[in-house]
Amino acid sequence: MYRKVKQYALDNHFTVDEKKGWVYGKMNGFFIFIRQDGATLACHSVQIWVKEGSSVPIPEIADFVQQCPSKYQYLQTASYNGSKIIAQFQGLGFQWKKNYVPCLDQFLKDVTAYCSSNRLVTCCESCGSKDYLTLLQLPDGDHMLCSSCQSDASEDIWQTAGQNARTGTSNIAGGIVGALLGSLLGAAAWVLIYQLGFISSFGGLIMVICAFKGYEMLGGRLDKAGVVTGCIISVLMLLAAEQFSLSLQIYNSYKEYYDITFFDAFQSVPSFLQESEIMSFVVRDIAIGYLLMAAGAWSTIRHAYKQDEVATRMQTITTVRQD
C-alpha cells in the first residue's frame, strides 16, 4: 500500500488492510471505502454509500459528483449510481507525490460535508435500512447490505455476479495476438538498447509489461490465462530478441570485410556462442533480463490471480455501525 495513503488513513483512525489494499472508516459520519489498485502505486478507487433511504436516485448529488473531476487534480472519474458515490484517483505528473494525498483528503471532506448538509445517510443499497449494515465483496463489486437484504437478495446478486464473471473471461485468441504484438514492441526496445551499447536486459521489463497490456487490449481482460500466455510469450521473445541482436552485431562487424548477409550472420550465432567470453556475456544479459521481467510482472500477476479468486467467492469486509 502507498505509504502516504496508509499514514493518512491511520491519522484519520481508518482501518488499514495492507495485504488486501483496503482502507475504510468514517468521516463526518459517512462510511468510506478506499481500494488501492494492485498494479499501480498511486491509483485508488473511493466508494461512499449514501442516499435518502429510498431507491430513487437523487439528481442533485449526481450533478454535484459529476462536476468533481474538474475541481480535484488527481480525480479521474466520479459518478453516483443512486446508492453510492464512486470515484477514481490516480497520481500523474511530476508533483503528484506531494499533492496526491491532500487532493484525496479535500475531496473526501467536501463530499462528506455536502452529504451531511443535504441530510443523506449511509444505508443499505437495496432497501435503505440504516441498521445492521455489512460491506460485502462480491464478484461484481462491493455491496452495502443490511442483514435482512443479505439473506433475501444476496443470492440473486451472487448469481448475477457469477454470470458476469463467466461471460467476462478473456478472448484467448485475441489475447495471444495482443501479447505477441506487445512483446514485439519490447523486443524492438531490447534490440535498440543493444545497438546503442547499453545493457539490453532492461528490455525484459518493457517486454513483459507490453505483452500483458497487449493481451488485455485485444483479449478483453488480463486473467490467469492472460498472465500465463504473456509470460510464456515474453520468455520466448526475449531469447529471440537476444539472438536477433547478436546476429545484427555480427553482421555489422563483418559486412565490410566479407560478402555476408544478415541470414548468414544469424546462422553463425551458434558458432560464436562456442566462445566462452561471448557465451558468458549472453547468459548474463538473458539472466538479468529475466530477473527484471519477473520484477516487472510480479505485481500484475498477483493482482490478476487475486481478481480471479474474488470472482469465485463472497467475502465480508466489515460490519458498519451507525453513530
Side-chain angles (χ1 to χ4, degrees):
M1 178 171 290
Y2 181 41
R3 60 181 181 84
K4 290 188 177 181
V5 171
K6 174 187 174 182
Q7 188 59 51
Y8 169 76
L10 295 175
D11 291 343
N12 285 274
H13 309 291
F14 284 11
T15 299
V16 176
D17 190 327
E18 283 196 80
K19 183 178 180 181
K20 296 177 180 176
W22 295 344
V23 167
Y24 55 85
K26 286 190 175 182
M27 179 177 289
N28 292 332
F30 294 93
F31 183 83
I32 297 169
F33 181 63
I34 302 174
R35 181 191 294 275
Q36 178 165 311
D37 185 273
T40 307
L41 185 64
C43 185
H44 298 83
S45 63
V46 177
Q47 299 178 82
I48 309 173
W49 281 263
V50 289
K51 61 180 183 177
E52 289 184 330
S54 68
S55 59
V56 180
I58 307 166
E60 291 79 6
I61 188 174
D63 294 340
F64 170 81
V65 171
Q66 288 176 0
Q67 294 172 10
C68 285
S70 63
K71 300 177 182 178
Y72 305 94
Q73 183 178 6
Y74 303 110
L75 178 59
Q76 304 300 306
T77 61
S79 61
Y80 178 71
N81 65 4
S83 62
K84 68 179 174 180
I85 298 169
I86 306 171
Q88 188 73 30
F89 280 83
Q90 184 167 4
L92 300 170
F94 295 103
Q95 298 295 323
W96 70 265
K97 289 186 178 181
K98 178 180 179 181
N99 302 320
Y100 184 74
V101 169
C103 177
L104 175 64
D105 175 56
Q106 192 60 53
F107 170 78
L108 295 177
K109 287 179 178 176
D110 290 348
V111 169
T112 53
Y114 176 91
C115 293
S116 179
S117 63
N118 285 274
R119 298 182 180 179
L120 301 175
V121 295
T122 298
C123 60
C124 173
E125 65 183 64
S126 180
C127 71
S129 172
K130 296 184 290 183
D131 300 321
Y132 306 106
L133 301 177
T134 302
L135 179 59
L136 301 169
Q137 184 185 33
L138 297 176
D140 65 339
D142 306 309
H143 295 272
M144 181 84 70
L145 297 173
C146 66
S147 57
S148 177
C149 288
Q150 283 186 59
S151 58
D152 294 341
S154 61
E155 183 62 29
D156 293 336
I157 295 175
W158 172 256
Q159 290 177 359
T160 301
Q163 293 172 1
N164 291 338
R166 288 190 293 272
T167 57
T169 55
S170 64
N171 175 3
I172 296 180
I176 291 174
V177 173
L180 282 170
L181 294 175
S183 64
L184 281 174
L185 293 176
W190 180 285
V191 174
L192 178 61
I193 295 171
Y194 195 104
Q195 296 306 306
L196 291 175
F198 298 101
I199 299 176
S200 59
S201 306
F202 291 102
L205 176 62
I206 302 172
M207 195 176 299
V208 71
I209 292 175
C210 289
F212 286 157
K213 191 63 179 178
Y215 189 99
E216 185 176 9
M217 290 177 66
L218 298 186
R221 62 186 290 261
L222 185 64
D223 51 11
K224 290 182 179 179
V227 165
V228 173
T229 300
C231 287
I232 292 174
I233 290 176
S234 297
V235 167
L236 296 177
M237 191 63 72
L238 188 150
L239 293 175
E242 178 69 13
Q243 184 168 1
F244 186 91
S245 298
L246 188 57
S247 302
L248 192 58
Q249 185 72 19
I250 294 170
Y251 174 71
N252 290 331
S253 299
Y254 287 92
K255 66 180 181 180
E256 296 182 2
Y257 306 101
Y258 302 97
D259 183 20
I260 64 171
T261 64
F262 176 79
F263 183 70
D264 294 329
F266 188 86
Q267 288 183 312
S268 69
V269 168
S271 299
F272 277 87
L273 290 179
Q274 293 178 7
E275 297 289 336
S276 59
E277 184 176 353
I278 296 177
M279 175 60 82
S280 63
F281 173 81
V282 170
V283 169
R284 183 190 67 179
D285 207 25
I286 291 175
I288 297 175
Y290 282 145
L291 285 175
L292 292 176
M293 182 182 290
W298 170 245
S299 62
T300 302
I301 292 173
R302 184 176 61 178
H303 180 64
Y305 272 72
K306 185 183 294 185
Q307 289 298 102
D308 273 8
E309 289 175 2
V310 168
T312 61
R313 57 190 171 88
M314 176 171 58
Q315 181 177 0
T316 297
I317 297 175
T318 184
T319 56
V320 181
R321 292 180 174 84
Q322 298 286 39
D323 297 332

